[in-house]
């Protein structure tokens, strides 16, 4: 069991090094065609402007000195959510983040907007199609969970990722780096809890209690 985890750790580390190498080559290298100086900011197109994107991704991107919101994409004419009563519409988001807005990633690319990567926060069923467009355009992809909604699409997407050797594809699994998750991983690797036969994970949002 320890050997299995050790091999998995080696593969993860190797993939991490590949991600860093590709990101540096794409975003920070001065050897890019036509580049006269080092590019220090990643130009990100955001696809899907629903409640999670508005409450999480866009604010974080705006605060990140290493990124700029290069474009916003959403086909909806009316962005609504029961989880956010203060949803902004696409024209309002366009003004707030000073970024052009489009109904699709393909429209953004056809308009000639220069982007380095795509953040996909659209509805789950669209993840494969949007990722395919991005990868075939040579862009990096950061995709929200789930990667796809069926196994066949997931397998085809893996094939696209393997073929896109200059692009990095990542699924948003930031919970992997939470303190409790990392501690559980160390306990398993150390053999402290015996042989793991089954894993079940639940993310629970506790109610807010005002004191």
């Amino acid at each position: 069991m320890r050997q299995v985890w050790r091999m998995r750790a080696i593969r993860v580390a190797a993939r991490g090094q590949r991600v860093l190498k590709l990101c540096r080559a794409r975003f920070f290298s001065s050897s890019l065609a036509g580049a006269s100086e080092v590019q220090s900011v990643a130009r990100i197109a955001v696809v899907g402007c629903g409640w999670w994107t508005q409450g999480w991704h866009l604010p974080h991107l705006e605060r990140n000195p290493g990124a700029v919101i290069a474009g916003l994409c959403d086909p909806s004419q009316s962005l609504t959510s029961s989880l956010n009563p203060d949803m902004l519409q696409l024209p309002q988001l366009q003004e707030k983040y000073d970024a052009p807005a489009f109904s699709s990633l393909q429209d953004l690319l056809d308009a000639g907007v220069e982007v380095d990567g795509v953040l996909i926060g659209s509805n789950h069923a669209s993840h494969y199609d949007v990722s395919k467009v991005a990868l075939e355009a040579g862009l990096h992809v950061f995709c929200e969970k789930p990667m796809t909604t069926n196994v066949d699409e997931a397998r085809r997407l893996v094939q696209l990722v393997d073929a896109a050797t200059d692009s990095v594809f990542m699924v948003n699994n930031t919970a992997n780096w939470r303190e409790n998750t990392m501690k559980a991983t160390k306990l398993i690797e150390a053999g402290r809890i015996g042989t793991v036969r089954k894993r079940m994970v639940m993310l629970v949002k506790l109610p807010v209690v005002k004191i």
Side-chain angles (χ1 to χ4, degrees), residues 139-173:
L139 302 174
H140 298 298
V141 177
F142 183 80
C143 185
E144 264 295 353
K145 304 177 289 293
M147 185 174 80
T148 63
T149 53
N150 67 67
V151 176
D152 289 337
E153 284 187 345
R155 288 172 175 161
R156 293 201 300 271
L157 186 51
V158 169
Q159 292 175 346
L160 286 170
V161 172
D162 288 341
T165 55
D166 291 331
S167 298
V168 176
F169 180 89
M170 293 180 287
V171 178
N172 183 20
N173 284 313

Side-chain angles (χ1 to χ4, degrees), residues 64-80:
N64 191 331
V68 63
I69 301 171
L72 302 164
C73 306
D74 200 296
S76 178
Q77 299 297 315
S78 177
L79 297 168
T80 60

